[in-house]
Structure formats: C-alpha cells, structure tokens
Amino acid sequence: MKKIKYCCRNLKKGSKIVYNTIKAEFPDIKQKEKDCLGCCKLCSKQCFVMIGKSEITAASPDLLYGRLKHLIG
C-alpha cells in the first residue's frame, strides 16, 4: 500500500483519531501529515485522506477508518 497522506487542517476535524488508530494497529503502514493536500472543498466538508492520487472520503472518522481498514486488508 502507498503512503496515507493527511491534511493538517482535516486532522483537527476528526481524522487525527484515524491517524492514531492506524498507527497503533498497523505500524508498518506509512502515514504523513501535510500542510495542505489541495482538496480544500473536500477537507472543509468531511474527513478525508489521500492514498497516491486517490481521495478516500467519509462523513465521520469511524467511517473513514472502516474504509481504510478495508483497503489495508
């Protein structure tokens, strides 16, 4: 799996929980916090991360975690 990238502004909206949970459960998965990922419309409305050039979105941190866990396997 490619690196999971998080927008710092989105971390404050709930995806920080996802970041910490993935870090604890899957320490071999690479994660990176970036100042801005250039997806401001998505970032302001819902939790999201980028994997490669794909945007993974969810209405809540729990849903985002579920989608990421499904992708990780």
Side-chain angles (χ1 to χ4, degrees), residues 26-37:
F26 304 98
D28 55 324
I29 299 292
K30 294 181 181 179
Q31 300 187 98
K32 179 111 178 164
E33 296 178 21
K34 302 285 255 177
D35 278 341
C36 182
L37 295 173

Side-chain angles (χ1 to χ4, degrees), residues 40-55:
C40 299
K41 288 185 180 182
L42 281 176
C43 183
S44 66
K45 294 179 183 175
Q46 55 191 333
C47 293
F48 95 104
V49 298
M50 291 189 76
I51 300 175
K53 294 187 179 189
S54 300
E55 300 162 350

Side-chain angles (χ1 to χ4, degrees), residues 2-13:
K2 295 183 179 181
K3 188 183 308 181
I4 301 172
K5 297 178 191 167
Y6 297 82
C7 178
C8 284
R9 291 180 181 101
N10 198 260
L11 287 171
K12 295 174 185 171
K13 294 183 180 183

